[in-house]
Amino acid sequence: MSRPFKGTVNIDIKDSVPDWEPYTQPIAPEGAPNVLYVVLDDVGFSAMEPYGGLIETPNIKRIADRGLSYTNFHTTALCSPTRSCLMTGRNHTTNGMGCITEATSGFPNANGHIPFECANIAEVLGGRGWNTYIVGKWHLCAEDEMNLASSKRQWPLGRGFERYYGFLGGETNQWYPDLVYDNHPVAPPKTPEEGYHLTVDLTDKAIEFIQDAKAIAPDKPFFLYYCPGAAHAPHHVSKEWADKYKGTFDMGYEAYREVVFDRQKKLGIVTDEAELSPIDPYADTTSHDGKPWSQSDRVRPWESLSNDEKRLFSRMAEVYAGFLSHADHELGRLLDHLEESGQLDNTIVVLVSDNGASGEGGPNGSVNENKFFNGVSDTIEENLKYLDELGSTRTYNHYPTGWAWAFNTPFKLWKRYANYEGGTADPLIVSWPAGIEARGEIRRQYNHAVDLVPTLFECLGVELPDVVNGYTQKPLEGVSFMSSFADADAASKEKQFYSMLGTRAIWHKGWKAATAVPAAPESWGDFHQQRWELFDTTTDPSECNDLSAEQPEKLQELIALWWAEAGTYQALPLESRGAIEILGTERPQLSSPRSRYTYYPGGAEVPESVTPNIRNRDYTIAAEMEIDTEEAGGVIFSQGSRFGGHALYVKDGKLVYVYNWLGENVQTVVSDEKVPTGHVVLSATFEREGEGMPTQGTLTLHIRDQAVGEAKIMTQPGKFGLGGGGLVVGRSGAEQVTDDYVGEAPWPFVGGTIKRVLIDVSGESFADLAAEARAAFARQ
């Protein structure tokens, strides 16, 4: 309810008294600091130099030298869940973010929609007089809302941000990103050939957003959520940046861990009691149901590699390092702007990573990370073909698991594993020269992503309102650690629970219980039969010594505490499926289920999450065309990219269909006749044969009713991509499916008109579909 008018209203305005207060904008307290919230992606505990790593990050070190580095900070082990904690101060399952937004389950703990009762920090600060901006990765919006037909209530502008420039999903191509500006998709301002890179673009926009408001209200503080894609796959960076690390990683990942561990002890990042965890401690371990851990979660010993493999793996690390250093350089540009404009000293800078280093490259690394999400293993032979192109537009690359382990030194395992420190232990650096006297000091308090918002609120003198935007708020679940700014011996929080992809853990006053199980296996047995391990993290921070046999009562106490916390924070049901099943689950859509979809040329890309599901089934793509000249050609339909996708086009007068199977097998079918002029229906029909995987069958091309070419092809079991896969008509996407196109990008269709494209997944015969299509096209 608005406040009653307190002025005076008479007939004549000159005899009346105004009351401006209900209409004035909120004003932050005088001298209120800015907040720069930097969230790096998949940067492990020991990748960068402030935490003992060999990757040079002088600007991140600059922040650390002006503030505090925390060595006992934790996340949830995955992107969306951690980011929901970082933004709201509530646990990921309370936020409905039990997993990434592409893996929603329809239960309260993992529906991918943060309740409005869990307001984020931007929603609160925006109402208190701060400008609120975000650049970069959002990943807090379920796939069913990542499209132009959806409500935008869970997009950044729907959740308290005034300006947004970035990408909505979990990852994107750094050379050809899926960009959103405020509430609509936009194309990048330049091409890679013109020098484009996403991190540079994001930093330009961050500075622009700050300048735009400061030119009008120089004293108004801002909250900037700065989230570059670095260093999440694909590891895209120019050759010059990667070459800065030539030879740095030739020692191999085991030797790297020893070097870094020694540096960490000298820096005080780890205590003298810490041990260097062994590589692959669970290599010979089976889960309780007798099934072995996945081969994708193994590490290949460096000395077992061939010389070519060593060169490949070293280069993959060099590219990753260059990518992270490049991001640091761009962060430096932003810091420079704040310093030159006199704002840096009174800016609270918080820098974190959202989870541990990633093992999604598998034991062999990857030139196309999308293979991981399709359950397809990379081969050394295929990867070696791209050795000299790693990081370029022609790869979607990721280092092997050995480097994931190394970049998490001294901990074991990696991203996705909420049971072990390799998944959850991350860097946290806090700098605020105007409010923190300490410079370049270490803090060892145990804290978690849920604790950042309560800490920032205390720094800013802000309390969570009882009601935000009409929604009664759930209480904060994190605990402020602001007291540690001035007191290195300040107490830690008492407990924190973990749950991710079937893995579980609980930390309580230094003791930790963890399930000794892999993340997202192909199948699970009874959760109650899982083996738990017990660690005293005060004396054993790297979890090398399981004490479960020596202290069974303590273990049972912690297991009981986990179940109590799970009930408090709605952590059930637990995930028991493999990655392919999780990502491939059919989820609700805006429109009723149907087997026919119609698309028209022009307009924005349609995200894969709301396009027809053609995976492992029959499908037909039919285009109604008017062909004006025999020279007509170009793309009719395209979905995906060179890393997985398919397209229908006309080249040299002939109809062509291409299915690019995960960037590894470009399967092309060409008509044996030319496309005639006049009104014509051009189509490609896939008919599945057999039940094996990957799905195989026959692709047949038709011009009108006549079959004009066919070939055996296979199709992907999973999506074309988590950071792409968009569908367009009349042109290619920003990243083409094949190099076979002619003309200039985006290879639009010329010499005729595309009236509409029909995609059918009903499985009916082509003869029936063709007849129906002719009738439908004749009516319209």
Side-chain angles (χ1 to χ4, degrees):
M1 179 181 292
S2 61
R3 185 182 69 81
F5 178 74
K6 293 184 178 181
T8 302
V9 177
N10 286 311
I11 295 174
D12 192 326
I13 193 171
K14 290 181 289 185
D15 299 324
S16 303
V17 178
D19 177 13
W20 289 104
E21 186 176 343
Y23 316 111
T24 57
Q25 297 187 44
I27 298 176
E30 184 176 353
N34 305 310
V35 179
L36 172 58
Y37 209 163
V38 182
V39 182
L40 301 176
D41 209 321
D42 290 8
V43 175
F45 184 78
S46 62
M48 55 195 188
E49 57 181 314
Y51 284 78
L54 302 188
I55 300 177
E56 296 176 4
T57 53
N59 292 292
I60 294 174
K61 184 177 184 299
R62 171 181 171 189
I63 299 170
D65 289 344
R66 292 164 57 93
L68 303 168
S69 297
Y70 286 80
T71 64
N72 217 346
F73 172 70
H74 296 80
T75 59
T76 70
L78 268 185
C79 309
S80 303
T82 293
R83 289 163 190 265
S84 77
C85 300
L86 292 171
M87 291 301 295
T88 69
R90 285 85 163 187
N91 282 289
H92 61 307
T93 49
T94 301
N95 289 325
M97 289 288 176
C99 196
I100 57 174
T101 60
E102 294 87 353
T104 53
S105 66
F107 294 94
N109 67 329
N111 57 52
H113 295 77
I114 298 177
F116 291 99
E117 291 81 1
C118 296
N120 70 45
I121 187 171
E123 290 172 302
V124 174
L125 294 187
R128 296 299 182 91
W130 274 260
N131 284 127
T132 56
Y133 316 127
I134 168 176
V135 296
K137 175 173 172 175
W138 179 234
H139 210 196
L140 293 177
C141 179
E143 279 193 322
D144 65 286
E145 291 194 13
M146 274 195 255
N147 61 80
L148 287 179
S150 76
S151 159
K152 309 300 183 294
R153 57 188 176 176
Q154 294 288 355
W155 289 33
L157 267 62
R159 294 308 304 252
F161 287 97
E162 298 163 344
R163 303 187 73 179
Y164 172 51
Y165 187 78
F167 55 102
L168 291 172
E171 65 183 44
T172 195
N173 191 310
Q174 301 291 303
W175 303 116
Y176 300 103
D178 296 311
L179 281 175
V180 171
Y181 199 152
D182 292 341
N183 273 356
H184 63 281
V186 295
K190 295 190 294 187
T191 66
E193 293 75 21
E194 295 168 326
Y196 182 83
H197 190 281
L198 177 59
T199 312
V200 179
D201 193 11
L202 295 176
T203 305
D204 288 344
K205 274 291 183 289
I207 294 171
E208 176 187 320
F209 288 173
I210 293 169
Q211 287 179 326
D212 285 349
K214 290 290 185 179
I216 299 165
D219 296 328
K220 185 173 184 179
F222 64 80
F223 172 79
L224 171 60
Y225 189 48
Y226 179 85
C227 304
H232 195 292
H235 302 155
H236 281 160
V237 75
S238 67
K239 185 175 184 295
E240 290 74 18
W241 280 96
D243 284 350
K244 291 177 182 290
Y245 290 94
K246 276 221 178 261
T248 301
F249 303 99
D250 289 354
M251 68 181 82
Y253 23 75
E254 291 100 336
Y256 176 95
R257 295 177 81 232
E258 293 175 0
V259 169
V260 169
F261 187 53
D262 183 61
R263 286 163 59 98
Q264 289 176 326
K265 287 198 168 184
K266 290 176 180 176
L267 289 169
I269 298 299
V270 299
T271 63
D272 290 337
E273 295 174 298
E275 298 178 45
L276 183 60
S277 65
I279 283 186
D280 265 359
Y282 302 102
D284 299 321
T285 302
T286 57
S287 61
H288 64 272
D289 57 3
K291 295 181 179 179
W293 282 42
S294 170
Q295 289 296 322
S296 67
D297 284 340
R298 303 290 173 81
V299 173
R300 300 180 62 199
W302 191 261
E303 289 309 312
S304 72
L305 305 178
S306 69
N307 289 334
D308 281 346
E309 289 171 330
K310 289 178 180 178
R311 286 195 306 121
L312 174 68
F313 289 9
S314 294
R315 186 57 177 173
M316 286 176 164
E318 291 168 7
V319 171
Y320 174 81
F323 187 26
L324 183 53
S325 284
H326 176 257
D328 175 86
H329 174 77
E330 290 303 307
L331 174 60
R333 283 207 299 129
L334 177 55
L335 297 175
D336 288 345
H337 171 72
L338 295 177
E339 188 164 35
E340 291 163 4
S341 58
Q343 301 178 70
L344 189 56
D345 282 354
N346 197 30
T347 296
I348 302 172
V349 181
V350 176
L351 182 141
V352 300
S353 174
D354 62 357
N355 46 243
S358 171
E360 288 154 18
N364 291 329
S366 181
V367 296
N368 180 6
E369 185 220 18
N370 194 34
K371 290 181 181 178
F372 173 86
F373 299 111
N374 277 263
V376 174
S377 299
D378 288 87
T379 65
I380 290 295
E381 294 73 21
E382 184 68 18
N383 289 350
L384 281 170
K385 295 177 185 177
Y386 294 90
L387 175 62
D388 296 328
E389 296 185 277
L390 288 169
S392 74
T393 59
R394 299 188 66 82
T395 60
Y396 208 88
N397 47 304
H398 197 300
Y399 54 60
T401 48
W403 289 119
W405 211 296
F407 293 141
N408 285 330
T409 301
F411 306 123
K412 57 190 177 185
L413 290 164
W414 41 70
K415 174 182 176 181
R416 308 193 319 273
Y417 281 86
N419 41 353
Y420 299 117
E421 295 288 279
T424 64
D426 284 287
L428 165 62
I429 301 173
V430 181
S431 169
W432 181 24
I436 301 175
E437 291 186 6
R439 298 289 185 274
E441 295 185 12
I442 298 293
R443 293 290 185 268
R444 302 195 187 282
Q445 284 77 11
Y446 189 100
N447 43 35
H448 184 271
V450 294
D451 302 323
L452 264 298
V453 166
T455 303
L456 287 170
F457 280 168
E458 186 176 359
C459 292
L460 300 174
V462 170
E463 292 186 1
L464 176 70
D466 293 333
V467 178
V468 176
N469 298 329
Y471 291 89
T472 300
Q473 292 298 293
K474 294 183 179 182
L476 295 173
E477 295 169 357
V479 178
S480 171
F481 55 87
M482 184 180 172
S483 61
S484 67
F485 291 177
D487 182 3
D489 297 319
S492 293
K493 67 186 300 182
E494 290 194 352
K495 61 185 176 179
Q496 182 62 48
F497 100 105
Y498 297 86
S499 177
M500 185 62 60
L501 294 171
T503 66
R504 294 175 283 160
I506 182 82
W507 182 92
H508 183 242
K509 296 182 178 180
W511 288 95
K512 180 178 176 183
T515 54
V517 294
E522 291 307 314
S523 64
W524 274 118
D526 187 349
F527 281 98
H528 292 284
Q529 298 300 315
Q530 288 179 350
R531 183 171 70 88
W532 288 73
E533 295 177 317
L534 177 68
F535 305 103
D536 178 356
T537 64
T538 303
T539 59
D540 179 23
S542 46
E543 304 169 341
C544 293
N545 303 296
D546 175 18
L547 302 177
S548 59
E550 290 89 336
Q551 301 206 42
E553 291 182 0
K554 172 59 73 172
L555 177 62
Q556 291 305 315
E557 173 191 327
L558 291 177
I559 293 173
L561 180 59
W562 187 91
W563 285 106
E565 294 290 281
T568 300
Y569 301 120
Q570 63 179 32
L572 304 179
L574 297 173
E575 184 58 78
S576 62
R577 300 168 296 170
I580 299 302
E581 185 179 357
I582 293 170
L583 293 175
T585 296
E586 292 287 341
R587 296 178 171 89
Q589 300 292 343
L590 278 171
S591 58
S592 300
R594 63 192 193 276
S595 58
R596 306 283 173 82
Y597 297 76
T598 303
Y599 299 97
Y600 299 90
E605 286 192 11
V606 181
E608 184 174 11
S609 60
V610 289
T611 60
N613 178 6
I614 66 167
R615 296 186 290 277
N616 312 312
R617 66 198 300 184
D618 296 351
Y619 61 86
T620 292
I621 303 166
E624 182 189 15
M625 315 274 295
E626 286 288 345
I627 305 298
D628 298 334
T629 71
E630 294 181 355
E631 290 74 32
V635 177
I636 300 169
F637 160 92
S638 178
Q639 182 175 13
S641 70
R642 68 167 69 250
F643 307 110
H646 63 147
L648 188 68
Y649 57 101
V650 175
K651 180 183 178 184
D652 298 329
K654 293 190 174 182
L655 180 63
V656 186
Y657 175 81
V658 61
Y659 193 109
N660 190 330
W661 192 86
L662 289 167
E664 188 172 303
N665 184 6
V666 181
Q667 305 161 102
T668 305
V669 187
V670 182
S671 67
D672 51 27
E673 295 186 14
K674 290 201 169 187
V675 175
T677 57
H679 183 271
V680 63
V681 175
L682 307 177
S683 62
T685 295
F686 176 74
E687 293 184 359
R688 177 176 180 165
E689 299 168 0
E691 298 298 324
M693 294 286 284
T695 299
Q696 301 189 51
T698 300
L699 189 290
T700 305
L701 295 176
H702 289 83
I703 298 177
R704 298 193 176 108
D705 295 344
Q706 182 179 354
V708 291
E710 70 174 35
K712 300 289 186 182
I713 69 168
M714 61 180 181
T715 63
Q716 292 181 194
K719 295 184 177 182
F720 290 129
L722 292 187
L727 182 157
V728 289
V729 171
R731 58 183 172 86
S732 79
E735 176 72 347
Q736 70 269 25
V737 173
T738 174
D739 291 331
D740 188 50
Y741 297 150
V742 293
E744 295 184 3
W747 298 276
F749 189 85
V750 296
T753 303
I754 303 170
K755 294 190 172 183
R756 59 186 68 86
V757 169
L758 169 75
I759 300 179
D760 186 282
V761 290
S762 67
E764 296 180 26
S765 71
F766 174 78
D768 294 338
L769 288 174
E772 185 172 335
R774 280 199 309 276
F777 290 153
R779 288 195 300 269
Q780 298 180 43

